């Protein structure tokens, strides 16, 4: 019955009915590709920005670490308040060879209790941690651990998804 009905349609209508699913599939693939690429690009950009920030803060903390100056190290870390998304910073001073590194300064809510006893990255789903060595005169004198909340990144990805999906629907309707 449906085949018989399709056979009786004008050629323009047949071409439209054939082209519509093909175009919809192409639009769907483009939507998925744009959304995925945008999410990956945002994630990589955030990681690169966090690593750059960690390198700058580590460089600025080298003097305080060299002299075990917790007050100046704390001031340097509190400068991170100007960067949205940074929720934790832990500055570790290298001890003598074979000894445990010591926590010199922290930044963030309840940072002293949230900083791990040793400087290690512990990646999580909603956070990004970067561990940056701190050097003075080529010698390793400590480590900086930065943690960034990825909720902002997730919100940006959701906005990109919604925009791409709306564009997909609009193009499909047209």
């Amino acid at each position: 019955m449906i085949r018989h009905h399709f056979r009786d349609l004008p050629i323009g209508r047949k071409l439209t009915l054939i082209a519509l699913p093909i175009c919809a599939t192409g639009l769907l693939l483009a939507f998925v590709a744009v959304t995925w690429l945008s999410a990956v690009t945002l994630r990589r950009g955030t990681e690169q920005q966090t690593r750059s920030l960690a390198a700058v803060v580590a460089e600025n903390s080298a003097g305080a670490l060299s002299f075990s100056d917790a007050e100046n190290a704390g001031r340097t870390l509190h400068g991170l308040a100007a960067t949205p998304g940074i929720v934790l910073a832990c500055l570790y001073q290298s001890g003598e060879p074979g000894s445990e590194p010591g926590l010199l300064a922290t930044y963030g809510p309840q940072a002293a209790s949230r900083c791990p006893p040793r400087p290690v990255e512990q990646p999580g789903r909603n956070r990004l941690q970067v561990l940056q060595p701190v050097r003075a005169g080529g010698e390793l004198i400590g480590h900086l651990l930065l943690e960034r909340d990825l909720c902002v990144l997730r919100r940006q990805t959701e906005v990109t998804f919604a925009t791409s999906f709306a564009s997909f629907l609009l193009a499909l309707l047209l």
Side-chain angles (χ1 to χ4, degrees):
M1 175 83 176
I2 292 177
R3 266 181 59 203
H4 183 64
H5 180 67
F6 185 75
R7 189 178 62 181
D8 294 337
L9 290 174
I11 189 75
R13 180 70 52 125
K14 287 178 184 177
L15 289 174
T16 301
L17 289 175
I18 291 170
L20 188 62
I22 294 169
C23 290
T25 302
L27 285 170
L28 182 62
L29 290 174
F31 159 70
V32 169
V34 165
T35 303
W36 177 78
L37 186 60
S38 178
V40 168
T41 303
L42 280 170
R43 173 74 184 214
R44 285 185 183 156
T46 300
E47 286 177 12
Q48 185 178 17
Q49 181 188 36
T50 305
R51 290 191 188 287
S52 296
L53 178 64
V56 168
V57 173
E59 180 72 27
N60 291 336
S61 301
L65 270 175
S66 295
F67 295 103
S68 300
D69 187 352
E71 185 178 333
N72 279 329
R75 275 193 229 126
T76 300
L77 293 184
H78 280 4
L80 292 168
T83 306
I86 300 296
V87 294
L88 179 69
C90 310
L91 186 62
Y92 297 91
Q93 187 170 22
S94 294
E96 297 298 319
S99 68
E100 289 289 314
L103 188 62
L104 182 66
T106 62
Y107 164 78
Q110 299 144 2
S113 64
R114 292 183 52 217
C115 287
R118 298 174 43 144
V120 300
E121 287 182 21
Q122 300 170 333
R125 182 173 169 85
N126 293 322
R127 63 190 173 141
L128 169 67
Q129 284 191 346
V130 172
L131 184 63
Q132 177 71 36
V134 182
R135 298 185 186 282
E139 181 183 337
L140 181 68
I141 59 171
H143 287 88
L144 173 69
L145 179 68
L146 277 187
E147 181 175 304
R148 176 173 237 149
D149 184 4
L150 295 179
C151 289
V152 172
L153 179 69
R154 191 172 60 244
R155 277 188 235 113
Q156 287 176 327
T157 303
E158 289 169 358
V159 167
T160 301
F161 176 83
T163 305
S164 297
F165 188 69
S167 299
F168 165 72
L169 288 179
L170 181 64
L172 188 61
L173 288 174
L174 292 176

